[in-house]
């Protein structure tokens, strides 16, 4: 029985059908066969989508050229679809050719992650493009949205043609975008694509006002301007940019934890942060806050949206926004909103167990506070706002991406320059952060200059533990710079200049003490004192959560240096797998622990698991758009480790290829200067590999010469048995000529050995 999709036995008939739920007509496709009843489009797509789409496109072509009488497609219904496809294709082609692709913005990252998590509705273009072509599809749509803000024309493409159209669009992607997309899955994690997912606002591309939102509840009432009291909630939402998850506002009901001058934890309330009394009354109790929310919804000043993931979000209405811009000074409103955000922003993982999750969600709102402080013109930001912005920004540095890191540094520098009475501990903390950033960029000289400039302008107050600990972190940064110069004695001298002030150190001092011992352990390792390094790092590991994976990484490497790789594997494996399971493959912790675990496997000759991890790490390193000094070192090390595995397996050509790749990377990265240890190791390794290859080549050449020797002898002296007829003089001369040929081949091979 012929298949309904076999073209010679089928005819195609398309009829228009209008569904009440869609504003446009779409074509219903039927397949007819002499022995089978009509098959509707839905069934044909279910059985063989690709073939069905191809036949539909063929039918359209036949219809528009009038070359077939077997397909009856009404021109009236098809013309609009054909025009829409042609128009959209030309729009995409024009936009994708002109766009400059240099990575994604924060909002675009959020769109990619939301599409990956399936947060968009079936009617959203983000969902359509991701469903059909994955990361390539959603990136194509993002690039298109940079040039074209109105997506209404995309609605005219019928569902049956969407897969073909999206594939067609993806084929237009610029080369830079195509290369980057292949690395996208490797860098998707909470560290880069941040999203605690369903708690964040859902971002849309282009002008999304005409599109259906994925919401199950929207509470909104008509706007009543006459009944608006002095309620600060709409003003807060205005300052936040329009909306915020309601759960984040609940943090205003709680005291926030800070470090006090004794280095211990204390709780502060809104009045300690300089927040206005009106906002304090709003958050005086949960009852007051919820009553304000309900009252504002009734007045039409705000809306509450509950998405399918049951995350309520409060948003300001357009009428309320216009009212605020008319009757209020926007800078004052933004100042109060910025104060509130910097108040609820967590400062430290030890102070707030939700630091990583909450800090990531609030990071976009903190960036808006940056803009408020930087763009203030008619009214100068109050001093306590500048202080709160600096404290929150220092805490948020770990959430900054390559695109926001420069903004963070400029904000810190600007606020620092304009603040009149900034506490010394904050000035030193800003300098320490600038120093660390410069070092990770490979500029340890400028890093040192920042430290010495700040130390010349202040006097260290040991009675304020915050100032004392900030000074300790500056010395640690100087020590790290000395380590990079391999000046280990100087590095140790910096460490001896800071000690705890009491026999029982404060919690803040313990953090610095842990960092100090970690640097001590690393210096001991670099100097070859592995036992002392092991002692320091083992003491640091249980002291605090901060830097836990970093210490574990160094300790595992020391175990390998001490030839106890089993302990390194036991230390790292569990945490490494936890990071993988949690979807944190692109975090720095995953990369560091992965390198240590690979080293432990290589030391134990467990090559197969190492050959799984190392290419994975190499791909992740390749996908980092702006690698810092640690990632540059890790990238080169991952290639060298893989070369070591193939060395043990005697795959010399593969080893050579990997080492040459590592050498190219080392020459490309600014971290590796001439005479660098890594470059020296690679060149020595290559020399040994070349000697192996040369030995193999010479042995092969000798084997070939030995095989050819007998044949050459026959040519010079005649066939076997001819010596009876050959004068002795000719035989001797022929043998001499043969010896010269053999010598010439051997010396020629030796002369070309360097080319291997």
């Amino acid at each position: 029985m012929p298949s309904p999709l076999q073209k010679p036995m089928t005819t195609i008939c398309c009829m228009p059908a209008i569904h009440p739920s869609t504003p446009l007509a779409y074509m219903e496709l039927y397949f007819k066969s002499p022995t089978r009843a009509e098959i509707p489009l839905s069934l044909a797509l279910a059985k063989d989508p690709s073939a069905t789409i191809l036949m539909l496109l063929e039918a359209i072509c036949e219809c528009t050229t009038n070359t077939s009488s077997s397909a009856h497609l009404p021109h009236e219904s098809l013309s609009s679809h054909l025009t829409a496809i042609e128009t959209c294709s030309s729009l995409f082609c024009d936009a994708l050719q002109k766009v400059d692709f240099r990575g994604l913005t924060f909002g675009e990252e959020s769109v990619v992650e939301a599409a990956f998590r399936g947060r968009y509705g079936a009617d959203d273009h983000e969902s359509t493009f991701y469903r059909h072509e994955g990361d390539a599809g959603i990136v194509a749509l993002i690039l298109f949205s940079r040039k074209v803000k109105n997506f209404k024309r995309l609605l005219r493409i019928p569902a049956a043609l969407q897969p073909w159209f999206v594939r067609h669009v993806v084929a237009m992607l610029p080369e830079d975008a195509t290369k980057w997309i292949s690395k996208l899955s490797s860098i998707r994690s909470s560290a880069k694509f941040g999203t605690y997912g369903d708690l964040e606002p859902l971002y849309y591309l282009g002008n999304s006002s005409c599109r259906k939102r994925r919401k199950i509840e929207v509470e909104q009432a008509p706007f009543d301007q006459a009944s608006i009291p002095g309620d600060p909630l709409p003003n807060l939402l205005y300052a936040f940019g329009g909306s915020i998850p309601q759960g984040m506002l609940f943090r205003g009901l709680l005291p926030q934890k800070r470090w006090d001058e004794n280095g211990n934890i204390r709780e502060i309330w809104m009045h300690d942060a300089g927040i206005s009394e009106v906002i304090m009354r709003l958050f005086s109790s949960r009852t007051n806050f919820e009553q304000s929310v309900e009252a504002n919804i009734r007045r039409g000043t705000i809306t509450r949206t509950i998405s399918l993931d049951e995350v309520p979000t409060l948003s300001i209405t357009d009428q309320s926004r216009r009212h605020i811009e008319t009757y209020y000074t926007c800078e004052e409103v933004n100042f109060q909103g910025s104060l509130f955000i910097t108040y609820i922003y967590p400062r430290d993982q030890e102070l707030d167990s939700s630091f990583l999750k909450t800090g990531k969600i609030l990071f976009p709102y903190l960036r808006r506070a940056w803009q408020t402080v930087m763009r203030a013109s008619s009214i100068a930001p109050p001093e306590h706002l500048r202080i709160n912005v600096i404290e929150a920004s220092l805490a948020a540095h770990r959430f900054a991406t390559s695109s926001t890191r420069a903004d963070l540094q400029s904000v810190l520098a600007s606020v620092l320059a304009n603040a009149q009475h900034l506490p010394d501990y904050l000035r030193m903390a800003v300098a320490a952060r600038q120093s660390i950033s410069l070092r990770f960029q490979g500029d340890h000289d400028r890093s040192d200059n920042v430290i010495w400039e700040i130390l010349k302008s202040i006097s260290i107050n040991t009675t304020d533990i915050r100032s004392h600990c900030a000074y300790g972190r500056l010395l640690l940064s100087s020590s790290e710079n000395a380590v990079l110069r391999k000046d280990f004695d100087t590095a140790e001298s910096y460490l001896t200049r800071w000690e705890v002030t009491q026999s029982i150190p404060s919690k803040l001092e313990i953090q610095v003490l842990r960092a100090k011992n970690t640097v001590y352990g690393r210096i001991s390792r670099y100097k070859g004192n592995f036992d002392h390094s092991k002692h320091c790092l083992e003491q640091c590991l249980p002291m605090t959560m901060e830097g836990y994976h970093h210490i574990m990484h160094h300790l595992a490497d020391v175990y390998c240096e001490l030839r106890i790789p089993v302990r390194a594997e036991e230390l790292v494996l569990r945490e490494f797998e936890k990071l993988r399971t949690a979807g944190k493959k692109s975090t720095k912790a995953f990369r560091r622990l992965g390198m240590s675990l690979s080293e432990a496997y290589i030391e134990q000759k467990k090559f197969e698991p190492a050959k799984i991890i190392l290419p994975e790490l190499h791909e992740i390193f390749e996908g980092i758009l702006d690698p810092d000094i640690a990632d540059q070192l890790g990238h080169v090390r991952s290639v060298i480790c893989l070369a070591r595995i193939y060395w043990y397996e005697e795959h010399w050509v593969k080893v050579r290829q990997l080492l040459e790749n590592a050498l190219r990377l080392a020459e490309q990265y600014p971290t590796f200067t001439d005479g660098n240890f890594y470059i020296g190791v690679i060149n020595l390794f290559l020399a040994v590999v070349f000697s192996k290859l040369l030995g193999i080549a010479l042995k092969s050449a000798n084997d070939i010469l030995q095989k050819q020797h007998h044949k050459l002898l026959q040519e010079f002296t005649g066939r076997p048995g001819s010596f009876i007829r050959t004068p002795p003089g000719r035989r001797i001369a022929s043998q001499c000529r043969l010896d010269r040929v053999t010598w010439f081949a051997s010396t020629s091979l030796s002369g070309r050995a360097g080319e291997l």
Side-chain angles (χ1 to χ4, degrees), residues 344-520:
I344 66 173
Y345 201 91
R347 297 296 197 265
D348 192 315
Q349 193 167 356
E350 190 164 334
L351 296 175
D352 191 332
S353 59
S354 69
F355 171 72
L356 295 176
K357 182 176 181 179
T358 304
K360 187 65 180 179
I361 295 174
L362 290 177
F363 186 64
Y365 302 97
L366 180 61
R367 292 178 62 191
R368 186 170 178 84
W370 296 350
Q371 297 171 3
T372 298
V373 173
M374 296 285 284
R375 296 175 183 175
S377 55
S378 59
I379 305 176
E383 195 72 10
H384 58 275
L385 173 57
R386 296 182 189 275
I387 292 175
N388 286 339
V389 166
I390 287 181
E391 286 185 347
S393 300
L394 288 171
H397 74 87
R398 67 182 304 158
F399 305 115
T401 62
S402 56
S403 60
T404 59
R405 198 171 294 122
D407 293 339
L408 189 152
Q409 292 299 327
S410 63
V411 167
L412 290 176
S414 174
V415 175
L416 186 64
N418 292 297
Q420 300 297 321
H421 305 289
L422 199 65
D424 285 345
Y425 77 88
L426 273 185
R427 295 177 61 198
M428 286 189 286
V430 172
R433 173 47 46 196
Q434 292 172 335
S435 171
I436 292 170
S437 297
L438 288 169
R439 179 169 60 256
F440 271 83
Q441 295 170 25
D443 196 344
H444 46 73
D445 290 330
R446 284 181 61 200
S447 174
D448 272 340
N449 290 337
V450 168
I451 296 171
W452 302 133
E453 286 298 322
I454 191 66
L455 289 180
K456 285 190 300 185
S457 64
I458 62 174
S459 58
I460 308 303
N461 179 11
T462 56
T463 59
D464 187 334
I465 298 301
R466 294 171 301 184
S467 179
H468 180 60
C469 289
Y471 172 63
R473 292 188 185 278
L474 287 174
L475 293 175
L476 287 174
S477 189
S478 295
S479 181
E480 293 274 11
N481 290 334
V483 168
L484 289 179
R485 300 187 187 96
K486 301 181 180 62
D487 188 354
F488 302 127
D489 291 337
T490 301
E492 286 185 330
S493 70
Y494 288 132
L495 298 180
T496 60
R497 292 163 60 179
W498 187 90
E499 297 291 345
V500 296
T501 58
Q502 298 177 3
S503 57
I504 302 178
S506 65
K507 292 186 177 181
L508 189 58
E509 286 179 305
I510 289 176
Q511 284 192 351
V512 181
L513 183 62
R514 186 272 313 166
K516 173 183 174 179
N517 286 343
T518 301
V519 178
Y520 257 132

Side-chain angles (χ1 to χ4, degrees), residues 631-692:
D631 287 323
Q632 292 175 23
L633 289 168
H635 193 182
V636 174
R637 182 183 172 189
S638 68
V639 181
I640 295 175
C641 284
L642 199 56
R644 289 167 56 204
I645 292 176
Y646 286 109
W647 165 271
Y648 286 120
E649 295 179 345
E650 299 186 355
H651 297 312
W652 312 120
V653 175
K654 184 67 175 176
V655 175
R656 172 191 169 183
Q657 292 172 347
L658 288 168
L659 291 176
E660 289 175 342
N661 182 29
L663 192 60
R664 280 192 295 270
L665 287 172
E667 292 170 348
Q668 167 190 334
Y669 286 140
T671 298
F672 301 89
T673 57
D674 292 337
N676 179 273
F677 173 77
Y678 273 74
I679 293 179
V681 169
I682 295 170
N683 282 320
L684 288 174
F685 201 168
L686 273 171
V688 177
V689 173
F690 282 139
S691 70
K692 288 285 185 181

